[in-house]
PDB file of all heavy atoms in Angstrom:
ATOM      1  N   HIS D  19    -239.368  -5.780 -20.754  1.00 95.00           N
ATOM      2  CA  HIS D  19    -239.565  -4.657 -21.671  1.00 95.00           C
ATOM      3  C   HIS D  19    -240.767  -4.854 -22.586  1.00 95.00           C
ATOM      4  O   HIS D  19    -241.475  -3.883 -22.892  1.00 95.00           O
ATOM      5  CB  HIS D  19    -238.305  -4.444 -22.521  1.00 95.00           C
ATOM      6  CG  HIS D  19    -237.154  -3.876 -21.757  1.00 95.00           C
ATOM      7  ND1 HIS D  19    -236.957  -2.519 -21.600  1.00 95.00           N
ATOM      8  CD2 HIS D  19    -236.133  -4.486 -21.089  1.00 95.00           C
ATOM      9  CE1 HIS D  19    -235.875  -2.304 -20.876  1.00 95.00           C
ATOM     10  NE2 HIS D  19    -235.347  -3.483 -20.554  1.00 95.00           N
ATOM     11  N   VAL D  20    -241.003  -6.069 -23.025  1.00 94.00           N
ATOM     12  CA  VAL D  20    -242.090  -6.321 -23.969  1.00 94.00           C
ATOM     13  C   VAL D  20    -243.422  -6.443 -23.250  1.00 94.00           C
ATOM     14  O   VAL D  20    -244.469  -5.999 -23.741  1.00 94.00           O
ATOM     15  CB  VAL D  20    -241.797  -7.591 -24.805  1.00 94.00           C
ATOM     16  CG1 VAL D  20    -243.000  -8.007 -25.626  1.00 94.00           C
ATOM     17  CG2 VAL D  20    -240.588  -7.345 -25.700  1.00 94.00           C
ATOM     18  N   GLY D  21    -243.418  -7.048 -22.072  1.00 90.00           N
ATOM     19  CA  GLY D  21    -244.656  -7.215 -21.333  1.00 90.00           C
ATOM     20  C   GLY D  21    -245.268  -8.573 -21.511  1.00 90.00           C
ATOM     21  O   GLY D  21    -244.593  -9.557 -21.819  1.00 90.00           O
ATOM     22  N   ARG D  22    -246.595  -8.646 -21.352  1.00 86.00           N
ATOM     23  CA  ARG D  22    -247.265  -9.930 -21.189  1.00 86.00           C
ATOM     24  C   ARG D  22    -247.347 -10.760 -22.455  1.00 86.00           C
ATOM     25  O   ARG D  22    -247.751 -11.916 -22.390  1.00 86.00           O
ATOM     26  CB  ARG D  22    -248.665  -9.703 -20.621  1.00 86.00           C
ATOM     27  CG  ARG D  22    -249.610  -8.920 -21.498  1.00 86.00           C
ATOM     28  CD  ARG D  22    -250.910  -8.681 -20.762  1.00 86.00           C
ATOM     29  NE  ARG D  22    -251.978  -8.217 -21.640  1.00 86.00           N
ATOM     30  CZ  ARG D  22    -253.228  -8.029 -21.253  1.00 86.00           C
ATOM     31  NH1 ARG D  22    -253.552  -8.255 -19.993  1.00 86.00           N
ATOM     32  NH2 ARG D  22    -254.144  -7.629 -22.094  1.00 86.00           N
ATOM     33  N   GLU D  23    -246.962 -10.223 -23.627  1.00 90.00           N
ATOM     34  CA  GLU D  23    -246.974 -11.049 -24.833  1.00 90.00           C
ATOM     35  C   GLU D  23    -245.711 -11.901 -24.943  1.00 90.00           C
ATOM     36  O   GLU D  23    -245.622 -12.765 -25.819  1.00 90.00           O
ATOM     37  CB  GLU D  23    -247.123 -10.175 -26.076  1.00 90.00           C
ATOM     38  CG  GLU D  23    -245.935  -9.274 -26.353  1.00 90.00           C
ATOM     39  CD  GLU D  23    -246.180  -8.317 -27.502  1.00 90.00           C
ATOM     40  OE1 GLU D  23    -247.040  -7.439 -27.363  1.00 90.00           O
ATOM     41  OE2 GLU D  23    -245.522  -8.473 -28.546  1.00 90.00           O
ATOM     42  N   ALA D  24    -244.748 -11.680 -24.068  1.00 94.00           N
ATOM     43  CA  ALA D  24    -243.506 -12.456 -24.075  1.00 94.00           C
ATOM     44  C   ALA D  24    -243.571 -13.569 -23.037  1.00 94.00           C
ATOM     45  O   ALA D  24    -244.454 -13.604 -22.179  1.00 94.00           O
ATOM     46  CB  ALA D  24    -242.316 -11.539 -23.793  1.00 94.00           C
ATOM     47  N   LEU D  25    -242.619 -14.488 -23.118  1.00 93.00           N
ATOM     48  CA  LEU D  25    -242.508 -15.543 -22.106  1.00 93.00           C
ATOM     49  C   LEU D  25    -242.273 -14.924 -20.736  1.00 93.00           C
ATOM     50  O   LEU D  25    -241.532 -13.953 -20.602  1.00 93.00           O
ATOM     51  CB  LEU D  25    -241.324 -16.460 -22.417  1.00 93.00           C
ATOM     52  CG  LEU D  25    -241.454 -17.526 -23.491  1.00 93.00           C
ATOM     53  CD1 LEU D  25    -240.097 -18.216 -23.673  1.00 93.00           C
ATOM     54  CD2 LEU D  25    -242.504 -18.549 -23.132  1.00 93.00           C
ATOM     55  N   SER D  26    -242.891 -15.501 -19.714  1.00 92.00           N
ATOM     56  CA  SER D  26    -242.558 -15.096 -18.353  1.00 92.00           C
ATOM     57  C   SER D  26    -241.567 -16.099 -17.778  1.00 92.00           C
ATOM     58  O   SER D  26    -241.675 -17.302 -18.021  1.00 92.00           O
ATOM     59  CB  SER D  26    -243.812 -15.008 -17.481  1.00 92.00           C
ATOM     60  OG  SER D  26    -244.427 -16.272 -17.347  1.00 92.00           O
ATOM     61  N   VAL D  27    -240.605 -15.594 -17.046  1.00 92.00           N
ATOM     62  CA  VAL D  27    -239.540 -16.423 -16.474  1.00 92.00           C
ATOM     63  C   VAL D  27    -239.695 -16.434 -14.967  1.00 92.00           C
ATOM     64  O   VAL D  27    -239.678 -15.377 -14.328  1.00 92.00           O
ATOM     65  CB  VAL D  27    -238.151 -15.887 -16.864  1.00 92.00           C
ATOM     66  CG1 VAL D  27    -237.051 -16.748 -16.257  1.00 92.00           C
ATOM     67  CG2 VAL D  27    -238.009 -15.839 -18.385  1.00 92.00           C
ATOM     68  N   GLU D  28    -239.866 -17.615 -14.405  1.00 89.00           N
ATOM     69  CA  GLU D  28    -239.999 -17.756 -12.958  1.00 89.00           C
ATOM     70  C   GLU D  28    -238.817 -18.564 -12.431  1.00 89.00           C
ATOM     71  O   GLU D  28    -238.474 -19.606 -12.988  1.00 89.00           O
ATOM     72  CB  GLU D  28    -241.298 -18.477 -12.594  1.00 89.00           C
ATOM     73  CG  GLU D  28    -242.555 -17.759 -13.058  1.00 89.00           C
ATOM     74  CD  GLU D  28    -243.809 -18.559 -12.764  1.00 89.00           C
ATOM     75  OE1 GLU D  28    -243.690 -19.634 -12.148  1.00 89.00           O
ATOM     76  OE2 GLU D  28    -244.900 -18.119 -13.158  1.00 89.00           O
ATOM     77  N   VAL D  29    -238.213 -18.069 -11.371  1.00 87.00           N
ATOM     78  CA  VAL D  29    -237.123 -18.789 -10.706  1.00 87.00           C
ATOM     79  C   VAL D  29    -237.514 -18.973  -9.248  1.00 87.00           C
ATOM     80  O   VAL D  29    -237.877 -18.007  -8.571  1.00 87.00           O
ATOM     81  CB  VAL D  29    -235.781 -18.038 -10.816  1.00 87.00           C
ATOM     82  CG1 VAL D  29    -234.692 -18.810 -10.094  1.00 87.00           C
ATOM     83  CG2 VAL D  29    -235.401 -17.844 -12.278  1.00 87.00           C
ATOM     84  N   HIS D  30    -237.489 -20.202  -8.785  1.00 85.00           N
ATOM     85  CA  HIS D  30    -237.883 -20.521  -7.413  1.00 85.00           C
ATOM     86  C   HIS D  30    -236.691 -21.124  -6.671  1.00 85.00           C
ATOM     87  O   HIS D  30    -235.971 -21.973  -7.204  1.00 85.00           O
ATOM     88  CB  HIS D  30    -239.031 -21.540  -7.401  1.00 85.00           C
ATOM     89  CG  HIS D  30    -240.255 -21.071  -8.133  1.00 85.00           C
ATOM     90  ND1 HIS D  30    -241.307 -20.460  -7.501  1.00 85.00           N
ATOM     91  CD2 HIS D  30    -240.579 -21.123  -9.444  1.00 85.00           C
ATOM     92  CE1 HIS D  30    -242.236 -20.159  -8.391  1.00 85.00           C
ATOM     93  NE2 HIS D  30    -241.827 -20.549  -9.578  1.00 85.00           N
ATOM     94  N   TYR D  31    -236.528 -20.683  -5.434  1.00 82.00           N
ATOM     95  CA  TYR D  31    -235.516 -21.274  -4.558  1.00 82.00           C
ATOM     96  C   TYR D  31    -236.183 -21.534  -3.216  1.00 82.00           C
ATOM     97  O   TYR D  31    -236.711 -20.615  -2.588  1.00 82.00           O
ATOM     98  CB  TYR D  31    -234.321 -20.326  -4.389  1.00 82.00           C
ATOM     99  CG  TYR D  31    -233.093 -21.005  -3.841  1.00 82.00           C
ATOM    100  CD1 TYR D  31    -232.355 -21.874  -4.639  1.00 82.00           C
ATOM    101  CD2 TYR D  31    -232.665 -20.782  -2.544  1.00 82.00           C
ATOM    102  CE1 TYR D  31    -231.229 -22.502  -4.156  1.00 82.00           C
ATOM    103  CE2 TYR D  31    -231.536 -21.403  -2.050  1.00 82.00           C
ATOM    104  CZ  TYR D  31    -230.818 -22.261  -2.856  1.00 82.00           C
ATOM    105  OH  TYR D  31    -229.705 -22.893  -2.372  1.00 82.00           O
ATOM    106  N   TRP D  32    -236.212 -22.763  -2.800  1.00 79.00           N
ATOM    107  CA  TRP D  32    -236.952 -23.159  -1.603  1.00 79.00           C
ATOM    108  C   TRP D  32    -236.002 -23.335  -0.430  1.00 79.00           C
ATOM    109  O   TRP D  32    -234.954 -23.975  -0.549  1.00 79.00           O
ATOM    110  CB  TRP D  32    -237.697 -24.467  -1.846  1.00 79.00           C
ATOM    111  CG  TRP D  32    -238.773 -24.365  -2.880  1.00 79.00           C
ATOM    112  CD1 TRP D  32    -238.608 -24.382  -4.236  1.00 79.00           C
ATOM    113  CD2 TRP D  32    -240.174 -24.219  -2.652  1.00 79.00           C
ATOM    114  NE1 TRP D  32    -239.813 -24.256  -4.865  1.00 79.00           N
ATOM    115  CE2 TRP D  32    -240.794 -24.151  -3.916  1.00 79.00           C
ATOM    116  CE3 TRP D  32    -240.967 -24.132  -1.509  1.00 79.00           C
ATOM    117  CZ2 TRP D  32    -242.166 -24.009  -4.071  1.00 79.00           C
ATOM    118  CZ3 TRP D  32    -242.330 -24.002  -1.662  1.00 79.00           C
ATOM    119  CH2 TRP D  32    -242.915 -23.930  -2.922  1.00 79.00           C
ATOM    120  N   LEU D  33    -236.388 -22.751   0.696  1.00 76.00           N
ATOM    121  CA  LEU D  33    -235.654 -22.942   1.947  1.00 76.00           C
ATOM    122  C   LEU D  33    -236.559 -23.682   2.910  1.00 76.00           C
ATOM    123  O   LEU D  33    -237.674 -23.242   3.193  1.00 76.00           O
ATOM    124  CB  LEU D  33    -235.248 -21.594   2.568  1.00 76.00           C
ATOM    125  CG  LEU D  33    -234.009 -20.909   2.005  1.00 76.00           C
ATOM    126  CD1 LEU D  33    -234.256 -20.382   0.608  1.00 76.00           C
ATOM    127  CD2 LEU D  33    -233.586 -19.762   2.921  1.00 76.00           C
ATOM    128  N   ARG D  34    -236.090 -24.797   3.397  1.00 68.00           N
ATOM    129  CA  ARG D  34    -236.886 -25.613   4.311  1.00 68.00           C
ATOM    130  C   ARG D  34    -236.717 -25.075   5.728  1.00 68.00           C
ATOM    131  O   ARG D  34    -235.598 -24.847   6.184  1.00 68.00           O
ATOM    132  CB  ARG D  34    -236.377 -27.052   4.240  1.00 68.00           C
ATOM    133  CG  ARG D  34    -237.306 -28.107   4.786  1.00 68.00           C
ATOM    134  CD  ARG D  34    -236.672 -29.458   4.530  1.00 68.00           C
ATOM    135  NE  ARG D  34    -237.589 -30.550   4.737  1.00 68.00           N
ATOM    136  CZ  ARG D  34    -237.274 -31.819   4.502  1.00 68.00           C
ATOM    137  NH1 ARG D  34    -236.067 -32.126   4.047  1.00 68.00           N
ATOM    138  NH2 ARG D  34    -238.150 -32.782   4.697  1.00 68.00           N
ATOM    139  N   GLU D  35    -237.846 -24.818   6.407  1.00 67.00           N
ATOM    140  CA  GLU D  35    -237.719 -24.293   7.756  1.00 67.00           C
ATOM    141  C   GLU D  35    -237.151 -25.356   8.687  1.00 67.00           C
ATOM    142  O   GLU D  35    -237.489 -26.525   8.587  1.00 67.00           O
ATOM    143  CB  GLU D  35    -239.065 -23.781   8.269  1.00 67.00           C
ATOM    144  CG  GLU D  35    -240.157 -24.817   8.410  1.00 67.00           C
ATOM    145  CD  GLU D  35    -241.419 -24.206   8.995  1.00 67.00           C
ATOM    146  OE1 GLU D  35    -241.324 -23.135   9.620  1.00 67.00           O
ATOM    147  OE2 GLU D  35    -242.482 -24.803   8.836  1.00 67.00           O
ATOM    148  N   VAL D  36    -236.262 -24.935   9.575  1.00 63.00           N
ATOM    149  CA  VAL D  36    -235.547 -25.887  10.420  1.00 63.00           C
ATOM    150  C   VAL D  36    -236.263 -26.154  11.729  1.00 63.00           C
ATOM    151  O   VAL D  36    -235.717 -26.790  12.619  1.00 63.00           O
ATOM    152  CB  VAL D  36    -234.101 -25.412  10.697  1.00 63.00           C
ATOM    153  CG1 VAL D  36    -233.313 -25.317   9.409  1.00 63.00           C
ATOM    154  CG2 VAL D  36    -234.113 -24.069  11.421  1.00 63.00           C
ATOM    155  N   SER D  37    -237.502 -25.687  11.863  1.00 66.00           N
ATOM    156  CA  SER D  37    -238.229 -25.942  13.106  1.00 66.00           C
ATOM    157  C   SER D  37    -238.672 -27.396  13.202  1.00 66.00           C
ATOM    158  O   SER D  37    -238.985 -27.872  14.280  1.00 66.00           O
ATOM    159  CB  SER D  37    -239.445 -25.019  13.198  1.00 66.00           C
ATOM    160  OG  SER D  37    -240.313 -25.227  12.103  1.00 66.00           O
ATOM    161  N   ARG D  38    -238.700 -28.102  12.059  1.00 67.00           N
ATOM    162  CA  ARG D  38    -239.119 -29.504  12.076  1.00 67.00           C
ATOM    163  C   ARG D  38    -237.894 -30.415  11.964  1.00 67.00           C
ATOM    164  O   ARG D  38    -237.759 -31.201  11.047  1.00 67.00           O
ATOM    165  CB  ARG D  38    -240.090 -29.781  10.933  1.00 67.00           C
ATOM    166  CG  ARG D  38    -241.395 -29.013  11.047  1.00 67.00           C
ATOM    167  CD  ARG D  38    -242.384 -29.429   9.977  1.00 67.00           C
ATOM    168  NE  ARG D  38    -243.647 -28.738  10.122  1.00 67.00           N
ATOM    169  CZ  ARG D  38    -243.970 -27.616   9.500  1.00 67.00           C
ATOM    170  NH1 ARG D  38    -243.084 -27.056   8.690  1.00 67.00           N
ATOM    171  NH2 ARG D  38    -245.143 -27.049   9.681  1.00 67.00           N
ATOM    172  N   VAL D  39    -237.006 -30.241  12.935  1.00 73.00           N
ATOM    173  CA  VAL D  39    -235.788 -31.042  12.970  1.00 73.00           C
ATOM    174  C   VAL D  39    -235.765 -31.847  14.258  1.00 73.00           C
ATOM    175  O   VAL D  39    -236.014 -31.318  15.339  1.00 73.00           O
ATOM    176  CB  VAL D  39    -234.531 -30.143  12.889  1.00 73.00           C
ATOM    177  CG1 VAL D  39    -233.270 -30.977  13.022  1.00 73.00           C
ATOM    178  CG2 VAL D  39    -234.527 -29.373  11.570  1.00 73.00           C
ATOM    179  N   ASP D  40    -235.517 -33.143  14.147  1.00 75.00           N
ATOM    180  CA  ASP D  40    -235.413 -34.011  15.314  1.00 75.00           C
ATOM    181  C   ASP D  40    -233.941 -34.289  15.610  1.00 75.00           C
ATOM    182  O   ASP D  40    -233.146 -34.503  14.689  1.00 75.00           O
ATOM    183  CB  ASP D  40    -236.122 -35.353  15.058  1.00 75.00           C
ATOM    184  CG  ASP D  40    -237.618 -35.165  14.841  1.00 75.00           C
ATOM    185  OD1 ASP D  40    -238.148 -34.164  15.350  1.00 75.00           O
ATOM    186  OD2 ASP D  40    -238.238 -36.011  14.175  1.00 75.00           O
ATOM    187  N   ARG D  41    -233.618 -34.295  16.900  1.00 73.00           N
ATOM    188  CA  ARG D  41    -232.266 -34.668  17.322  1.00 73.00           C
ATOM    189  C   ARG D  41    -232.289 -36.100  17.806  1.00 73.00           C
ATOM    190  O   ARG D  41    -233.157 -36.499  18.583  1.00 73.00           O
ATOM    191  CB  ARG D  41    -231.768 -33.746  18.434  1.00 73.00           C
ATOM    192  CG  ARG D  41    -230.306 -33.971  18.818  1.00 73.00           C
ATOM    193  CD  ARG D  41    -229.940 -33.155  20.042  1.00 73.00           C
ATOM    194  NE  ARG D  41    -228.524 -33.117  20.297  1.00 73.00           N
ATOM    195  CZ  ARG D  41    -227.819 -34.108  20.851  1.00 73.00           C
ATOM    196  NH1 ARG D  41    -228.440 -35.226  21.207  1.00 73.00           N
ATOM    197  NH2 ARG D  41    -226.520 -33.976  21.040  1.00 73.00           N
ATOM    198  N   THR D  42    -231.362 -36.875  17.317  1.00 74.00           N
ATOM    199  CA  THR D  42    -231.272 -38.266  17.732  1.00 74.00           C
ATOM    200  C   THR D  42    -230.877 -38.343  19.205  1.00 74.00           C
ATOM    201  O   THR D  42    -229.988 -37.610  19.657  1.00 74.00           O
ATOM    202  CB  THR D  42    -230.232 -39.013  16.881  1.00 74.00           C
ATOM    203  OG1 THR D  42    -230.574 -38.869  15.504  1.00 74.00           O
ATOM    204  CG2 THR D  42    -230.199 -40.487  17.237  1.00 74.00           C
ATOM    205  N   ALA D  43    -231.544 -39.204  19.961  1.00 77.00           N
ATOM    206  CA  ALA D  43    -231.238 -39.391  21.384  1.00 77.00           C
ATOM    207  C   ALA D  43    -229.967 -40.205  21.520  1.00 77.00           C
ATOM    208  O   ALA D  43    -229.984 -41.419  21.710  1.00 77.00           O
ATOM    209  CB  ALA D  43    -232.406 -40.084  22.082  1.00 77.00           C
ATOM    210  N   ASP D  44    -228.855 -39.519  21.399  1.00 74.00           N
ATOM    211  CA  ASP D  44    -227.569 -40.198  21.450  1.00 74.00           C
ATOM    212  C   ASP D  44    -226.522 -39.191  21.901  1.00 74.00           C
ATOM    213  O   ASP D  44    -226.753 -37.968  21.845  1.00 74.00           O
ATOM    214  CB  ASP D  44    -227.230 -40.773  20.060  1.00 74.00           C
ATOM    215  CG  ASP D  44    -226.015 -41.679  20.094  1.00 74.00           C
ATOM    216  OD1 ASP D  44    -226.002 -42.621  20.916  1.00 74.00           O
ATOM    217  OD2 ASP D  44    -225.081 -41.442  19.315  1.00 74.00           O
ATOM    218  N   SER D  45    -225.376 -39.682  22.358  1.00 76.00           N
ATOM    219  CA  SER D  45    -224.324 -38.779  22.834  1.00 76.00           C
ATOM    220  C   SER D  45    -223.741 -37.954  21.688  1.00 76.00           C
ATOM    221  O   SER D  45    -223.274 -36.839  21.897  1.00 76.00           O
ATOM    222  CB  SER D  45    -223.216 -39.577  23.527  1.00 76.00           C
ATOM    223  OG  SER D  45    -222.693 -40.558  22.642  1.00 76.00           O
ATOM    224  N   ALA D  46    -223.747 -38.490  20.484  1.00 75.00           N
ATOM    225  CA  ALA D  46    -223.247 -37.760  19.321  1.00 75.00           C
ATOM    226  C   ALA D  46    -224.397 -36.980  18.690  1.00 75.00           C
ATOM    227  O   ALA D  46    -225.474 -37.528  18.452  1.00 75.00           O
ATOM    228  CB  ALA D  46    -222.642 -38.729  18.305  1.00 75.00           C
ATOM    229  N   ALA D  47    -224.166 -35.696  18.462  1.00 71.00           N
ATOM    230  CA  ALA D  47    -225.223 -34.857  17.890  1.00 71.00           C
ATOM    231  C   ALA D  47    -225.493 -35.258  16.447  1.00 71.00           C
ATOM    232  O   ALA D  47    -224.594 -35.261  15.609  1.00 71.00           O
ATOM    233  CB  ALA D  47    -224.813 -33.394  17.964  1.00 71.00           C
ATOM    234  N   SER D  48    -226.743 -35.602  16.159  1.00 72.00           N
ATOM    235  CA  SER D  48    -227.168 -35.890  14.788  1.00 72.00           C
ATOM    236  C   SER D  48    -228.632 -35.532  14.668  1.00 72.00           C
ATOM    237  O   SER D  48    -229.377 -35.577  15.653  1.00 72.00           O
ATOM    238  CB  SER D  48    -226.929 -37.359  14.441  1.00 72.00           C
ATOM    239  OG  SER D  48    -227.629 -38.203  15.327  1.00 72.00           O
ATOM    240  N   PHE D  49    -229.016 -35.192  13.467  1.00 71.00           N
ATOM    241  CA  PHE D  49    -230.358 -34.661  13.252  1.00 71.00           C
ATOM    242  C   PHE D  49    -230.996 -35.303  12.026  1.00 71.00           C
ATOM    243  O   PHE D  49    -230.317 -35.839  11.155  1.00 71.00           O
ATOM    244  CB  PHE D  49    -230.311 -33.140  13.054  1.00 71.00           C
ATOM    245  CG  PHE D  49    -229.642 -32.403  14.177  1.00 71.00           C
ATOM    246  CD1 PHE D  49    -228.269 -32.169  14.160  1.00 71.00           C
ATOM    247  CD2 PHE D  49    -230.367 -31.956  15.270  1.00 71.00           C
ATOM    248  CE1 PHE D  49    -227.644 -31.496  15.192  1.00 71.00           C
ATOM    249  CE2 PHE D  49    -229.757 -31.281  16.306  1.00 71.00           C
ATOM    250  CZ  PHE D  49    -228.391 -31.047  16.273  1.00 71.00           C
ATOM    251  N   ARG D  50    -232.324 -35.215  11.970  1.00 71.00           N
ATOM    252  CA  ARG D  50    -233.063 -35.653  10.790  1.00 71.00           C
ATOM    253  C   ARG D  50    -234.287 -34.755  10.644  1.00 71.00           C
ATOM    254  O   ARG D  50    -234.729 -34.121  11.600  1.00 71.00           O
ATOM    255  CB  ARG D  50    -233.482 -37.122  10.900  1.00 71.00           C
ATOM    256  CG  ARG D  50    -234.512 -37.380  11.980  1.00 71.00           C
ATOM    257  CD  ARG D  50    -234.833 -38.871  12.098  1.00 71.00           C
ATOM    258  NE  ARG D  50    -235.262 -39.452  10.848  1.00 71.00           N
ATOM    259  CZ  ARG D  50    -236.491 -39.357  10.349  1.00 71.00           C
ATOM    260  NH1 ARG D  50    -237.408 -38.669  11.014  1.00 71.00           N
ATOM    261  NH2 ARG D  50    -236.810 -39.922   9.215  1.00 71.00           N
ATOM    262  N   TRP D  51    -234.834 -34.719   9.422  1.00 68.00           N
ATOM    263  CA  TRP D  51    -236.026 -33.917   9.165  1.00 68.00           C
ATOM    264  C   TRP D  51    -237.250 -34.706   9.601  1.00 68.00           C
ATOM    265  O   TRP D  51    -237.539 -35.789   9.098  1.00 68.00           O
ATOM    266  CB  TRP D  51    -236.129 -33.571   7.680  1.00 68.00           C
ATOM    267  CG  TRP D  51    -234.956 -32.801   7.169  1.00 68.00           C
ATOM    268  CD1 TRP D  51    -233.917 -33.261   6.434  1.00 68.00           C
ATOM    269  CD2 TRP D  51    -234.692 -31.402   7.369  1.00 68.00           C
ATOM    270  NE1 TRP D  51    -233.030 -32.259   6.156  1.00 68.00           N
ATOM    271  CE2 TRP D  51    -233.478 -31.105   6.720  1.00 68.00           C
ATOM    272  CE3 TRP D  51    -235.369 -30.381   8.027  1.00 68.00           C
ATOM    273  CZ2 TRP D  51    -232.933 -29.830   6.709  1.00 68.00           C
ATOM    274  CZ3 TRP D  51    -234.827 -29.111   8.015  1.00 68.00           C
ATOM    275  CH2 TRP D  51    -233.617 -28.833   7.369  1.00 68.00           C
ATOM    276  N   SER D  52    -238.003 -34.157  10.542  1.00 71.00           N
ATOM    277  CA  SER D  52    -239.151 -34.889  11.085  1.00 71.00           C
ATOM    278  C   SER D  52    -240.254 -35.075  10.055  1.00 71.00           C
ATOM    279  O   SER D  52    -241.025 -36.030  10.134  1.00 71.00           O
ATOM    280  CB  SER D  52    -239.709 -34.176  12.317  1.00 71.00           C
ATOM    281  OG  SER D  52    -240.056 -32.840  12.019  1.00 71.00           O
ATOM    282  N   ASP D  53    -240.359 -34.155   9.067  1.00 66.00           N
ATOM    283  CA  ASP D  53    -241.417 -34.307   8.082  1.00 66.00           C
ATOM    284  C   ASP D  53    -241.010 -35.208   6.923  1.00 66.00           C
ATOM    285  O   ASP D  53    -241.723 -35.306   5.926  1.00 66.00           O
ATOM    286  CB  ASP D  53    -241.897 -32.946   7.559  1.00 66.00           C
ATOM    287  CG  ASP D  53    -240.766 -32.086   7.038  1.00 66.00           C
ATOM    288  OD1 ASP D  53    -239.630 -32.597   6.941  1.00 66.00           O
ATOM    289  OD2 ASP D  53    -241.016 -30.915   6.714  1.00 66.00           O
ATOM    290  N   ASP D  54    -239.862 -35.896   7.061  1.00 66.00           N
ATOM    291  CA  ASP D  54    -239.503 -36.917   6.082  1.00 66.00           C
ATOM    292  C   ASP D  54    -240.217 -38.227   6.370  1.00 66.00           C
ATOM    293  O   ASP D  54    -240.040 -39.213   5.641  1.00 66.00           O
ATOM    294  CB  ASP D  54    -237.990 -37.166   6.081  1.00 66.00           C
ATOM    295  CG  ASP D  54    -237.253 -36.121   5.256  1.00 66.00           C
ATOM    296  OD1 ASP D  54    -237.931 -35.421   4.468  1.00 66.00           O
ATOM    297  OD2 ASP D  54    -236.032 -35.999   5.389  1.00 66.00           O
ATOM    298  N   GLY D  55    -240.999 -38.261   7.443  1.00 66.00           N
ATOM    299  CA  GLY D  55    -241.713 -39.480   7.797  1.00 66.00           C
ATOM    300  C   GLY D  55    -241.061 -40.179   8.968  1.00 66.00           C
ATOM    301  O   GLY D  55    -240.024 -39.750   9.487  1.00 66.00           O
ATOM    302  N   PRO D  56    -241.651 -41.293   9.409  1.00 66.00           N
ATOM    303  CA  PRO D  56    -241.107 -42.021  10.557  1.00 66.00           C
ATOM    304  C   PRO D  56    -239.689 -42.515  10.290  1.00 66.00           C
ATOM    305  O   PRO D  56    -239.337 -42.849   9.156  1.00 66.00           O
ATOM    306  CB  PRO D  56    -242.075 -43.209  10.708  1.00 66.00           C
ATOM    307  CG  PRO D  56    -243.307 -42.802   9.975  1.00 66.00           C
ATOM    308  CD  PRO D  56    -242.867 -41.918   8.863  1.00 66.00           C
ATOM    309  N   ALA D  57    -238.892 -42.518  11.352  1.00 64.00           N
ATOM    310  CA  ALA D  57    -237.530 -43.027  11.225  1.00 64.00           C
ATOM    311  C   ALA D  57    -237.563 -44.511  10.909  1.00 64.00           C
ATOM    312  O   ALA D  57    -238.426 -45.244  11.368  1.00 64.00           O
ATOM    313  CB  ALA D  57    -236.752 -42.776  12.514  1.00 64.00           C
ATOM    314  N   SER D  58    -236.634 -44.938  10.087  1.00 60.00           N
ATOM    315  CA  SER D  58    -236.550 -46.357   9.730  1.00 60.00           C
ATOM    316  C   SER D  58    -235.168 -46.876  10.070  1.00 60.00           C
ATOM    317  O   SER D  58    -234.231 -46.120  10.330  1.00 60.00           O
ATOM    318  CB  SER D  58    -236.826 -46.562   8.238  1.00 60.00           C
ATOM    319  OG  SER D  58    -235.772 -46.021   7.462  1.00 60.00           O
ATOM    320  N   ALA D  59    -235.033 -48.182  10.064  1.00 53.00           N
ATOM    321  CA  ALA D  59    -233.760 -48.815  10.400  1.00 53.00           C
ATOM    322  C   ALA D  59    -232.698 -48.527   9.348  1.00 53.00           C
ATOM    323  O   ALA D  59    -231.514 -48.725   9.589  1.00 53.00           O
ATOM    324  CB  ALA D  59    -233.939 -50.325  10.544  1.00 53.00           C
TER     325      ALA D  59
END
């Protein structure tokens, strides 16, 4: 109502795209985010 002399309020909600998901080569289905970096022990 007041315009640009008032505080602006920004709300962000991030959704991570699921196209960068790796499936573990195992009989049990499990996944990890490929852009989290190389898999570690």
